[in-house]
Amino acid sequence: MEHKEESYNEAIEKLRLIVEEIEQGELEVDLLSEKVKEATRLIKLCKEKLYKADQEVKKVLEELD
Amino acid sequence: MVCPIFIKPINLNASMFPNDDMSSVRQEISLLELNNRVKGVLQQAFPATYWVRAEMSDVRQNASSGHCYLEFIEKHPSTGQLLAKVRGSIWAKTFHLLKPYFESETGQAFASGLKVLVKVTVEFHELYGYSLTVVDIDPAYTLGDMVRRRLEIVRQLQEEGVFALNKELPFPILPQRIAIITSPTAAGYEDFLQQLTNNKAGYMFYPRLFPAVMQGDKTEESVISALDKVYEQVGNFDVVVIIRGGGATSDLHSFDSYLLAANCAQFPLPIITGIGHERDDTVIDMVAHTRAKTPTAVAEFLIGRLDEAAGLLDDLKGKCSKRALEVLNERRSSLQLLMATLPALAGGKIERSQMLLQHLGMKLPVLANTLLERKRVSLIRMGIALPGLAVQTIDRKRTVLDKSENGLRQVTSELLSLRRHSLQLNEQFITLASPEHIMQRGYSMILKDGCIVKRASDMQSGDLVTIRFADGDKDSRIL
């Protein structure tokens, strides 16, 4: 499953929905593992935005001069 | 306490200017002499001290002497046109006490642009001319003026409906791309960057400096121009930070500007201020989305927002893995339970089947016998019942036949008698209608050549005819 990279807000929103589903739903184990996989991807994405330098942003700001 | 200014009338008598143009002998005096005379007159005319309201301008302190030189001005309240101006001095020994007193009372740096109420002596120096020497200051006046001015700006912004615009902007979840408006040489800027980039959690920030003059007359213009530059790149930033390193006091006056406040209020990104003031909010602080006291506090605030975002993320992550593990554990334990009970379940099932089979095996002969017996009995019963049944059937059939026979006979005789009766009627009718019968009653028939004559015209005179009576015929001739 290839995703276009979400914004932080979009990623958080998706994550929230997945957590809701996992929390209340009687998900089948196969589906559950798929959801967890997706959640892991989203968490990683968010963490990267929080902690890792986004080269693109850096570049844009450097080019402002 | 303003003392009434009492001007002593200047006596232009002979002792002062004894020889005017009218006199024959012209007396000349030197400039110094003239200035000394002016000085003397002024000293006589303004012997006391006076409380004067004025705006300070061009305030500077001589580094070596410690004296403060400035200009007092008065502008037209609405047009801003300069109406009056005078040089002022505050001698080092006064300034040394006056400045801290004023600054601690007002929270303001003793600087240009402030309106002050000062107690002055009027001086005239033969070399430097007319000036005022400050001996005291009333900070309450300045405070009052600042408040009034601030309120005035706030009221105007409110009337224009822009006061709360920046506050109403949604704050970004990740305020990472930060446009910083400050003076690059300010200590506050370094503190801010330090705080931001060395945050404990290791959040990523992208600060970008937009330099501006942060004190003095140029502040308003310079900060607005920096805001304009940020505006050109507005899509590349999440927030704007306006900071300035400050001590206990600062030149906040320049931030109480209507134009600057209006620009900030209407800026499309949330503005966070940290212009280093302990006590008062400037108008910029009031219109900003968020107000912090110092640049460091602004950095803390931004880090706090990222803490919140990270907390939310961790929370979601925790919930996700916790519940997923729970579900997996539930499934696993139910599987284990199933595995544990499977042999017992299977054994039980087999045992039950075996027992059923045995039971069936035992029951089978009995069941078969019973079945056979039942069939035999019913066969015997049928054998016994058969003759009776046959006779019964034959009887039944016979009865039906008998009934049919009787019915047929009856119907036939009824039919016959009906026919006989109608025959009799017919016979009777025929008898009554026969010519013999009719003739017996007196009628006769005329025959010609063996045929009955029905009309007189059918006969001619001389025709030979036969008249038939009941008892016989008579030949006759027509006349």
Side-chain angles (χ1 to χ4, degrees), chain B residues 120-133:
Chain B
V120 297
T121 57
V122 177
E123 308 285 344
F124 191 89
H125 190 276
E126 49 280 11
L127 186 55
Y128 305 114
Y130 168 52
S131 72
L132 303 176
T133 297

Side-chain angles (χ1 to χ4, degrees), chain B residues 58-114:
Chain B
D58 204 14
V59 179
R60 64 205 181 276
Q61 188 179 9
N62 186 299
S64 57
S65 67
H67 303 319
C68 172
Y69 300 102
L70 70 162
E71 299 214 304
F72 291 108
I73 54 174
E74 182 168 345
K75 292 177 188 162
H76 190 281
S78 50
T79 64
Q81 193 197 348
L82 208 55
L83 298 177
K85 183 172 168 183
V86 64
R87 284 188 303 104
S89 329
I90 312 169
W91 306 127
K93 64 174 179 13
T94 311
F95 194 56
H96 178 65
L97 295 170
L98 182 144
K99 186 176 183 264
Y101 166 64
F102 177 83
E103 291 184 344
S104 75
E105 286 295 305
T106 60
Q108 290 291 299
F110 188 82
S112 302
L114 290 177

Side-chain angles (χ1 to χ4, degrees), chain B residues 29-70:
Chain B
I29 56 166
S30 72
L31 176 63
L32 178 62
E33 209 173 335
L34 176 67
N35 279 2
N36 274 331
R37 285 190 191 182
V38 172
K39 184 179 177 179
V41 171
L42 279 177
Q43 271 173 357
Q44 268 190 305
F46 301 95
T49 54
Y50 305 96
W51 283 101
V52 178
R53 294 189 302 268
E55 184 178 324
M56 299 197 294
S57 159
D58 204 14
V59 179
R60 64 205 181 276
Q61 188 179 9
N62 186 299
S64 57
S65 67
H67 303 319
C68 172
Y69 300 102
L70 70 162

Side-chain angles (χ1 to χ4, degrees), chain B residues 195-211:
Chain B
Q195 191 83 7
L196 204 60
T197 48
N198 294 340
N199 72 82
K200 271 183 283 170
Y203 302 127
M204 200 58 216
F205 286 102
Y206 308 94
R208 174 76 166 66
L209 175 69
F210 289 81

Side-chain angles (χ1 to χ4, degrees), chain B residues 117-166:
Chain B
L117 180 61
V118 282
K119 193 181 187 183
V120 297
T121 57
V122 177
E123 308 285 344
F124 191 89
H125 190 276
E126 49 280 11
L127 186 55
Y128 305 114
Y130 168 52
S131 72
L132 303 176
T133 297
V134 177
V135 294
D136 200 359
I137 193 162
D138 182 2
Y141 174 78
T142 305
L143 272 178
D145 178 66
M146 273 164 29
V147 168
R148 187 195 51 73
R149 182 182 150 123
R150 224 168 261 159
L151 287 177
E152 180 63 25
I153 294 170
V154 168
R155 191 188 51 75
Q156 193 176 347
L157 292 171
Q158 279 169 341
E159 270 174 16
E160 286 161 4
V162 301
F163 183 78
L165 288 183
N166 200 263

